Amino acid sequence: MSKRRYAKAMSGSMPLPKHLTGAVRLEEILAVDWTIPREFVALTGATGPMTINWVIPPANAGSGGHQNIFRFVSHLEARGHTCRIYVHDPHSVRSSSIHEQIIRENFVEMAAEIAVLDGPMAPADGIIATSWPTAYPVYSDPSSALRFYFVQDFEPLFYPLGSEYVL
């Protein structure tokens, strides 16, 4: 995909294709050493309201996977938990305001803050990766928050056999 088509797709003016080269930055992959276990500890435990950071890929209208994520966010907020949404946009094609506009106009109502993930996240009890590219920045975040993976699909099947299939 050309840079121009990628930028157009990420602006929300055309649907994203199923296969995007560069869904994660190489440096994000290389920064993770899966052989060294990390300790993750919740801030408040499970006895009261929790704060949960969700890391999502860029959303577009009609995305069923995003709809499911935002339903869970809304459900958790209704039960007193605080949720934040961080958009993992590895090539920074969209601004935070564009991501927020697309999400608020096309998905369920929720109070969650929405921002592009461009550094460490605010402290939370848990951080949830929602796709394979988001697992890298979630794992690498310096906080001690518990880590989770919101599994909806067998993601390798979205890609032809190759590097992204394996990752």
Side-chain angles (χ1 to χ4, degrees):
M1 173 182 287
S2 72
K3 285 185 180 180
R4 186 170 55 92
R5 281 181 48 93
Y6 181 80
K8 187 174 181 183
M10 294 305 290
S11 72
S13 60
M14 72 179 262
L16 287 172
K18 279 192 169 188
H19 176 73
L20 276 180
T21 301
V24 64
R25 290 187 295 268
L26 180 60
E27 56 268 19
E28 290 175 321
I29 295 168
L30 296 175
V32 173
D33 184 349
W34 302 108
T35 65
I36 301 172
R38 293 192 50 207
E39 289 196 31
F40 303 120
V41 182
L43 294 175
T44 60
T47 59
M50 293 181 283
T51 299
I52 303 153
N53 292 339
W54 294 77
V55 182
I56 66 167
N60 279 312
S63 168
H66 284 91
Q67 183 70 4
N68 288 336
I69 292 165
F70 300 142
R71 284 181 184 149
F72 272 78
V73 168
S74 179
H75 177 78
L76 289 167
E77 288 177 342
R79 275 134 191 86
H81 303 289
T82 300
C83 293
R84 296 185 199 101
I85 296 169
Y86 289 92
V87 181
H88 178 249
D89 187 358
H91 302 289
S92 302
V93 177
R94 292 180 185 164
S95 66
S96 283
S97 61
I98 299 269
H99 285 293
E100 182 166 11
Q101 178 184 1
I102 290 168
I103 292 167
R104 300 243 187 253
E105 288 178 0
N106 293 288
F107 298 98
V108 299
E109 188 174 326
M110 58 192 163
E113 295 174 29
I114 300 169
V116 169
L117 180 61
D118 60 1
M121 292 176 254
D125 296 291
I127 305 174
I128 301 175
T130 60
S131 66
W132 74 266
T134 68
Y136 294 95
V138 165
Y139 185 85
S140 296
D141 189 77
S143 77
S144 62
L146 295 172
R147 304 310 202 262
F148 301 91
Y149 197 128
F150 188 80
V151 178
Q152 298 188 74
D153 302 292
F154 184 65
E155 294 177 44
L157 293 182
F158 292 140
Y159 301 92
L161 190 56
S163 299
E164 290 177 310
Y165 180 95
V166 172
L167 290 170

